[in-house]
Amino acid sequence: MRVYVAATRQNDGKTITALGILSAMKEKFGKVGYMKPVGQQAKLVGGKEIDKDATLMNVVFRIGSQLEDMSPVAIPRGFTERYIESGNPEELRRKILQSYLRASHGKDFMVIEGTGHGGVGSVIDLSNADVAKLLDAPVMIVTLGGIGRPIDEIMLNKALFDKEGVEIMGVVINKVVPEKYDKINKYVRMGFEKKGIKVLGVIPFCETLASPTIRQLLEDIKGELLCGEEGLDESVSRILIGAMPPHTALDYFKGNELLITPGNREDLILAAMSGCVLGISKAYCVKGIILTGGIMPNKTILRLVRRTNIPVILVKTNTYETAQKVNNLIIKIRPEDEDKIKEATSLIKKYVDIDYIIDYVKEKAERRKRKAEEVK
């Protein structure tokens, strides 16, 4: 049994959905597998380019498959240009098929995760629709909360899957604003029902899952950690730009902020760390500080900050560029993000119709088996 998790765009929640489904299926079937046929966020593991999500799933669920089979086609920098010049689509397809056979061996349920919207990968002849067809997997599409936009975007993506003859199992509406949940839940179900599409689940927005950790920020903006290693796994939900007087900034420090400020704004740095140093309350301490412009603060200031365990990161870019980078980050769950993993799996199990998914893929597997017997 297998399911392909697609989305209408990046950062809609494919990985969160895949995590939850794998967790639910492991409880019901025991032996689960995972594959990300085409990965865009690769890193070197054992000398091979492996998508980050494949590494995450292997660690969390102890899947046991070879990582290169879980992530057969990873796209590092320069891959697209080389493919356009001399790529062989049949070679890539064969690689994915062979990897799938190995990754799925002995598994009761496979989750296949796509990348981006339905057409992503077309440049290398491996769009999500192409891969879902290649692996004969029914698709669930994840999209963002709302009423009009998710229906419009799902129909656009569905057209591409329909063209390739791929079955759409249903849709998951993710990151729905809690105060609008009842209204959106009602109307998207009505809207999709009119289109003949099953709504598998409507999931409320979860701040924990949308918040990056300081560790991720450090890695993604390629900064230099000056101090505060103990606080790297803290999550940040608000960003403050250091362009205000310190007495004004104090009104904004609530305990979940990241302060981005030039290294010579020592007044703001002192204000940000004051609650921790004075022992008032951690509720008023910022989670982290990014110093911009490559400017180091005064040595005495830095010595005081070290007493707070607040991570301080130094970057060469200016404050505006740094804030843009942080704002544009794609938040990815990592193996060490235990709280996020628990929250993600809990949300999927609570709000997504797992029983319907099982019934659907079982019926699909029976049809596939009958078809194979007829061919014989």
Side-chain angles (χ1 to χ4, degrees), residues 3 26 62 123 178 207 239 268 277-278 323-324 326 347 370:
V3 63
K26 187 168 186 178
R62 300 177 183 176
V123 67
E207 189 175 273
I239 298 172
L268 274 175
V277 171
L278 298 174
Q324 271 196 320
V326 171
L347 281 172
R370 288 195 298 269

Side-chain angles (χ1 to χ4, degrees), residues 46-148:
K48 297 180 180 179
E49 295 283 352
I50 303 294
D51 187 85
K52 292 179 181 179
D53 291 332
T55 303
L56 168 69
M57 301 299 179
N58 197 44
V59 171
V60 172
F61 296 103
R62 300 177 183 176
I63 289 173
S65 300
Q66 294 294 320
L67 278 172
E68 54 264 42
D69 288 329
M70 296 172 66
S71 176
V73 179
I75 305 179
R77 188 180 297 276
F79 183 95
T80 301
E81 292 90 334
R82 292 193 297 273
Y83 182 85
I84 290 173
E85 288 178 350
S86 58
N88 183 342
E90 289 307 314
E91 181 181 334
L92 293 183
R93 290 169 184 269
R94 184 165 55 250
K95 186 176 184 181
I96 289 173
L97 274 174
Q98 290 173 348
S99 290
Y100 178 81
L101 289 174
R102 289 190 291 266
S104 62
H105 181 72
K107 303 296 192 297
D108 299 311
F109 197 100
M110 285 289 294
V111 172
I112 307 161
E113 184 180 347
T115 180
H117 59 71
V120 169
S122 296
V123 67
I124 60 169
D125 301 302
L126 287 174
S127 72
N128 284 287
D130 290 325
V131 177
K133 179 181 180 180
L134 178 69
L135 299 178
D136 192 23
V139 172
M140 66 169 63
I141 307 178
V142 184
T143 189
L144 293 183
I147 298 174

